[in-house]
Amino acid sequence: MESISRISSLLETARDLTLEAAQSAGARSRALGSKAVVRDLPFVQIKRLLDSRNDREILEGLRKVISMMYRSKPCLPFFSSVVKNVASPNIEIKKLVYIYLLHFAESEPDLALLSINTIQKSLTDQNPQVRAMALRVMSGIRVPVISQIVALAIKRGCGDMSPHVRKAAALAIPKCYRLDPGTSPQLLGYISTLLGDKQYYVVGSAVTAFLEVCPDNIDLIHQHYRPLVRKLVDMDEWGQLATLRLLTTYARKCFPHRTTRAKNKKTSDFYEDEINEQEEEDTLGEQIQVLDPDLELFLKSIKPLLHSRNSAVIVAVVRCFLHLDTPDYLESAIGPLVALLRSPQDIQQIALYNIVSVCLFRPKSFTTYASHFLIRATDPPYVWRLKLEALTLIFPHCESQTRGLILNELEHFMKASDNELVRESVKAIGRCAQADNKTSARCLNLLFKQTSSSDNYLVEESLTVIRHLIQQDPSSHTNTVIRLAKTLDTIINPQARASIIWLVGEFAGIGEENNIAPDVLRILTKGFADDSEAAKLQIILLAAKVYIHHLNHTRLNTNISKQVTVPAHDDQMSAAFIEGNGFKEGTDTPPELESEAEHPIAALWRYILLLARYDTSYDLRDRTRLYKALLADPSSTQLANLLLLAPKPVPHAPSPSEGRKAFLLGSASLVVGEDAGRVGLLGYEGLPDWVKEGQEPDPKLRDESGTKADYGEKKSVPAVEKLDNALMNRGEPSKSPGVEAGNKEKTLDDWLAEGEEEESEESSGSIDGDEGDDIEEGSSEYETDSEEEQEGDRLIT
């Protein structure tokens, strides 16, 4: 009978397994189908499955409910039927019930509280997985009434023998804190306990809880600093990110930033006797950082994390090296950071933002990886923009061959069909020319070639960059302006023409030999009516500048001629000149301006005013009236000189990511950039300032001698060491100095050495002559007495 019952049970088990395999295969085939349709069972049938006594049917009903829940179907009516299965011994049923309970606990807090007792019982289950799940679910039920119950459950979990349960307790601490911030004093003690855990994956979760509950309470970290550093390599990725963030902040708050200058000693000849004192003085070299031993321990321990599979961990390590100001360690992190460019495009974009941010601080470190930033045909715009920026940042630090390669690439992309790529390439060439004076001539030649292009975008951007380059060194670009002025007959783009006319106006005050401004103005006046509004505005400005230079030049020549032709002793001529405040009798204008009406520049100025007076543009007419009012009185042009001839600031094209320089590597604010504001996105926290010298905490606080033993683990101490410690701590004072000296630590070698000295003294005494026999006898008696006293001391000790 027993064999028959056993066979029947086996057959039933096989049937159940066959049914489950068929159901899973059917579900897989439906999922693989192109038009998979999930059919929901009727409410009555699902409820019947949930109320069944068969675990397989209950599991099937729970799967249907969870599926409906994630498809936003109404599942709240099943709450009572689902929650009553929380006491099931089947762990698969418990998992599904817990998922459902976490989702709907806020909607039905009263019914959720009924299951708290059952969940509390699961905290004492023999299976550690069940205990960890119960603690996770209890902390996830966001009902403020149970905050104290959750705190007690966390306390029990912190002392659990299973590390999985302790990890669940660490993850439950932030949830309990958000549920009731009043429990923070209890939670601080739990965090301190979990930070000293011997299991690395428990410590990682404890660090996460610390950063959320009490990130400013650095005093909790002192005694756990070195264990955290040693366990960092073995943590999971999330724990490593949290610990790196914590220890970077800790380093800025507890280790002062010390620097010194390296000393280069001058070598002297070995046989040289007299050395000049000045040659012995050390010469100061470059400035280097003096690392604290604990900080150096941290930096060495995170260096292996550069080989992590997680890109966020690599970026976090680079952030530590960069913001802790350790150039030597940062050099070793550049290669792994650049290797992230082989990742998918989403990770590649984030990696490029961080690479550009590091380039702003240390561009020279990326010169050997210049070929990794060359643009590919498949790169999207958000990738090639960052690559162009990285190339322009490292350009002045590269070798001549690499610089030529970068310029060839930029010249190639200036001919692309994408207008955005063309503009960015031209701007990149301009930034390269500004950063490196040696290649500015070649960059100008490249840009001049594009001025004859049929692409208006390319011509406009090229001339804008050329104008910026000319403004940086105007004295050496006189011929460049003449060359640009010759292209006004062929250039049609309004902004490009406006840029050239403005440049000609800026050079209107040079000598007569190279001054082409009046001739350019004369030519532009002929086609004034047909030009664009932007070009007309610049033509009016050019005319005003040419006219004011003419007035200044005429007045200067008149003053010089007065000093040369008018003698100082001629009283009659002086009186005639002074009469009428320097005016001739019967005239209203000064004598030096009588011929002004006949000068071509003055006639050209009046003609331009007439043309602009009847133009259809309001802005042009207003601007013309402003210039006419400024130059209405030819004798007083001080205000016009201040407005029109004031020195212009030298334009500087910064890197597009210059505004991201203040944000930390790996942060979302770094990716968003200036749109995140000055303080970054919500939740962004920067690094604190370096602690000042003398205000750092005592390094003895980081000693591990005061830490408690982990879970009753006792350290084995040899018996000899215990005996030595007992003798050292005994400390019994002696009366005589000889005995006090004997109580000090003496080894066997010391005692043997004392015996050898006594024997040598006796032998030397026997060799002496007969004259000192009495003295020798007295001394021998004294020595024997002292030996007896020493033997007594040995017996006592």
Short mmCIF file of all heavy atoms in Angstrom, two decimals, residues 29 40 46 48 61 94 143 150 216 266 283 293 305 357 415 437 465 470 538 580-581 620 626 734 744:
data_model
loop_
_atom_site.label_atom_id
_atom_site.label_comp_id
_atom_site.label_asym_id
_atom_site.label_seq_id
_atom_site.Cartn_x
_atom_site.Cartn_y
_atom_site.Cartn_z
N SER A 29 5.19 31.36 -25.71
CA SER A 29 4.81 31.46 -27.12
C SER A 29 3.91 32.66 -27.36
O SER A 29 3.99 33.33 -28.38
CB SER A 29 4.10 30.18 -27.55
OG SER A 29 2.90 30.00 -26.79
N ASP A 40 -7.90 38.65 -19.54
CA ASP A 40 -8.14 38.63 -18.11
C ASP A 40 -9.28 37.67 -17.79
O ASP A 40 -10.31 37.63 -18.50
CB ASP A 40 -8.48 40.03 -17.60
CG ASP A 40 -7.34 40.99 -17.80
OD1 ASP A 40 -6.18 40.53 -17.78
OD2 ASP A 40 -7.61 42.20 -17.98
N ILE A 46 -11.06 34.56 -10.68
CA ILE A 46 -9.81 34.94 -10.00
C ILE A 46 -9.97 34.84 -8.49
O ILE A 46 -9.07 34.37 -7.78
CB ILE A 46 -9.40 36.37 -10.42
CG1 ILE A 46 -9.04 36.41 -11.90
CG2 ILE A 46 -8.21 36.85 -9.59
CD1 ILE A 46 -8.71 37.78 -12.41
N ARG A 48 -11.94 32.85 -6.93
CA ARG A 48 -11.97 31.43 -6.59
C ARG A 48 -10.55 30.87 -6.52
O ARG A 48 -10.24 30.03 -5.66
CB ARG A 48 -12.81 30.66 -7.61
CG ARG A 48 -13.04 29.19 -7.21
CD ARG A 48 -13.80 28.41 -8.27
NE ARG A 48 -15.09 29.02 -8.56
CZ ARG A 48 -15.44 29.56 -9.73
NH1 ARG A 48 -14.54 29.60 -10.72
NH2 ARG A 48 -16.64 30.05 -9.92
N GLY A 61 -3.64 32.57 -9.42
CA GLY A 61 -4.50 33.73 -9.20
C GLY A 61 -3.70 34.98 -8.87
O GLY A 61 -4.01 36.08 -9.35
N LYS A 94 4.38 34.23 -0.91
CA LYS A 94 4.71 35.37 -0.05
C LYS A 94 5.24 36.55 -0.87
O LYS A 94 4.89 37.71 -0.63
CB LYS A 94 5.76 34.95 0.98
CG LYS A 94 5.20 34.27 2.23
CD LYS A 94 6.32 33.97 3.19
CE LYS A 94 5.79 33.34 4.46
NZ LYS A 94 4.98 34.27 5.26
N VAL A 143 2.62 53.84 6.25
CA VAL A 143 1.57 54.23 7.19
C VAL A 143 2.27 54.75 8.44
O VAL A 143 2.99 54.01 9.11
CB VAL A 143 0.66 53.04 7.54
CG1 VAL A 143 -0.42 53.47 8.52
CG2 VAL A 143 0.03 52.47 6.27
N VAL A 150 8.30 49.61 12.95
CA VAL A 150 9.36 49.46 11.94
C VAL A 150 10.73 49.70 12.56
O VAL A 150 11.69 48.99 12.26
CB VAL A 150 9.10 50.44 10.77
CG1 VAL A 150 10.25 50.39 9.77
CG2 VAL A 150 7.79 50.10 10.07
N ASP A 216 25.71 65.08 7.26
CA ASP A 216 26.66 66.02 7.87
C ASP A 216 27.28 65.52 9.17
O ASP A 216 28.15 66.20 9.72
CB ASP A 216 25.95 67.36 8.14
CG ASP A 216 25.46 68.01 6.87
OD1 ASP A 216 26.13 67.82 5.83
OD2 ASP A 216 24.42 68.69 6.90
N LYS A 266 71.80 70.67 -5.98
CA LYS A 266 72.90 70.70 -6.94
C LYS A 266 73.97 69.71 -6.53
O LYS A 266 74.42 69.70 -5.39
CB LYS A 266 73.50 72.11 -7.01
CG LYS A 266 72.55 73.14 -7.58
CD LYS A 266 73.25 74.48 -7.71
CE LYS A 266 72.32 75.51 -8.33
NZ LYS A 266 72.98 76.80 -8.48
N THR A 283 67.52 74.64 -4.71
CA THR A 283 66.68 75.42 -5.61
C THR A 283 65.26 74.86 -5.57
O THR A 283 65.05 73.65 -5.57
CB THR A 283 67.22 75.34 -7.04
OG1 THR A 283 67.28 73.97 -7.43
CG2 THR A 283 68.59 75.96 -7.11
N PRO A 293 48.57 60.22 5.16
CA PRO A 293 48.63 58.75 4.97
C PRO A 293 47.25 58.11 4.79
O PRO A 293 47.10 57.21 3.97
CB PRO A 293 49.31 58.27 6.26
CG PRO A 293 50.12 59.44 6.72
CD PRO A 293 49.34 60.65 6.34
N LEU A 305 39.32 50.31 -9.00
CA LEU A 305 37.96 50.49 -9.47
C LEU A 305 37.90 51.09 -10.87
O LEU A 305 36.82 51.12 -11.47
CB LEU A 305 37.18 51.39 -8.50
CG LEU A 305 36.96 50.84 -7.09
CD1 LEU A 305 36.17 51.84 -6.26
CD2 LEU A 305 36.24 49.51 -7.13
N SER A 357 34.60 68.15 -19.26
CA SER A 357 34.76 68.85 -17.98
C SER A 357 36.16 68.66 -17.41
O SER A 357 36.75 69.59 -16.85
CB SER A 357 33.71 68.35 -16.98
OG SER A 357 33.79 69.04 -15.77
N LYS A 415 32.84 71.47 -45.20
CA LYS A 415 32.19 71.24 -46.50
C LYS A 415 31.04 70.24 -46.39
O LYS A 415 30.55 69.74 -47.41
CB LYS A 415 33.22 70.71 -47.50
CG LYS A 415 34.41 71.64 -47.68
CD LYS A 415 35.47 71.00 -48.57
CE LYS A 415 36.70 71.90 -48.68
NZ LYS A 415 37.77 71.27 -49.49
N ASN A 437 48.77 80.71 -31.25
CA ASN A 437 49.18 81.77 -32.19
C ASN A 437 49.99 81.22 -33.35
O ASN A 437 50.05 81.84 -34.42
CB ASN A 437 49.98 82.84 -31.46
CG ASN A 437 49.15 83.57 -30.43
OD1 ASN A 437 47.94 83.75 -30.61
ND2 ASN A 437 49.78 83.99 -29.34
N VAL A 465 34.18 84.73 -37.46
CA VAL A 465 35.39 84.25 -36.78
C VAL A 465 36.60 85.06 -37.20
O VAL A 465 37.47 85.39 -36.37
CB VAL A 465 35.58 82.75 -37.08
CG1 VAL A 465 36.90 82.26 -36.51
CG2 VAL A 465 34.44 81.92 -36.50
N ILE A 470 40.84 89.20 -36.02
CA ILE A 470 41.47 90.48 -36.35
C ILE A 470 41.43 91.40 -35.14
O ILE A 470 42.39 92.15 -34.87
CB ILE A 470 40.77 91.11 -37.56
CG1 ILE A 470 41.08 90.29 -38.82
CG2 ILE A 470 41.19 92.56 -37.75
CD1 ILE A 470 40.33 90.76 -40.04
N GLN A 538 25.60 99.63 -40.93
CA GLN A 538 27.06 99.69 -40.85
C GLN A 538 27.65 100.74 -41.79
O GLN A 538 28.69 101.33 -41.49
CB GLN A 538 27.65 98.30 -41.15
CG GLN A 538 27.26 97.23 -40.15
CD GLN A 538 27.72 97.58 -38.75
OE1 GLN A 538 28.78 98.18 -38.55
NE2 GLN A 538 26.91 97.19 -37.76
N GLY A 580 37.60 138.96 -32.09
CA GLY A 580 36.44 138.14 -32.46
C GLY A 580 36.59 136.69 -32.10
O GLY A 580 36.00 135.84 -32.77
N ASN A 581 37.41 136.38 -31.04
CA ASN A 581 37.61 134.99 -30.58
C ASN A 581 38.16 134.11 -31.68
O ASN A 581 37.75 132.97 -31.88
CB ASN A 581 36.31 134.38 -30.06
CG ASN A 581 35.85 135.06 -28.78
OD1 ASN A 581 36.68 135.51 -27.99
ND2 ASN A 581 34.54 135.17 -28.59
N LEU A 620 16.98 102.80 -39.06
CA LEU A 620 18.03 103.48 -39.81
C LEU A 620 17.88 105.00 -39.71
O LEU A 620 18.88 105.72 -39.53
CB LEU A 620 17.99 103.03 -41.27
CG LEU A 620 19.08 103.57 -42.18
CD1 LEU A 620 20.45 103.12 -41.70
CD2 LEU A 620 18.86 103.13 -43.63
N LEU A 626 20.77 110.35 -34.74
CA LEU A 626 21.69 110.34 -33.60
C LEU A 626 23.09 110.78 -34.03
O LEU A 626 23.71 111.65 -33.40
CB LEU A 626 21.73 108.94 -32.99
CG LEU A 626 22.78 108.70 -31.90
CD1 LEU A 626 22.50 109.58 -30.68
CD2 LEU A 626 22.81 107.22 -31.50
N SER A 734 60.18 50.22 43.38
CA SER A 734 61.21 49.66 44.27
C SER A 734 61.88 50.78 45.03
O SER A 734 61.89 51.94 44.61
CB SER A 734 62.25 48.88 43.46
OG SER A 734 62.82 49.71 42.48
N LYS A 744 63.15 46.89 35.10
CA LYS A 744 62.86 47.26 33.72
C LYS A 744 62.94 46.03 32.83
O LYS A 744 63.41 44.98 33.22
CB LYS A 744 63.85 48.32 33.25
CG LYS A 744 63.67 49.64 33.99
CD LYS A 744 64.63 50.67 33.45
CE LYS A 744 64.45 52.00 34.16
NZ LYS A 744 65.38 53.02 33.67
#
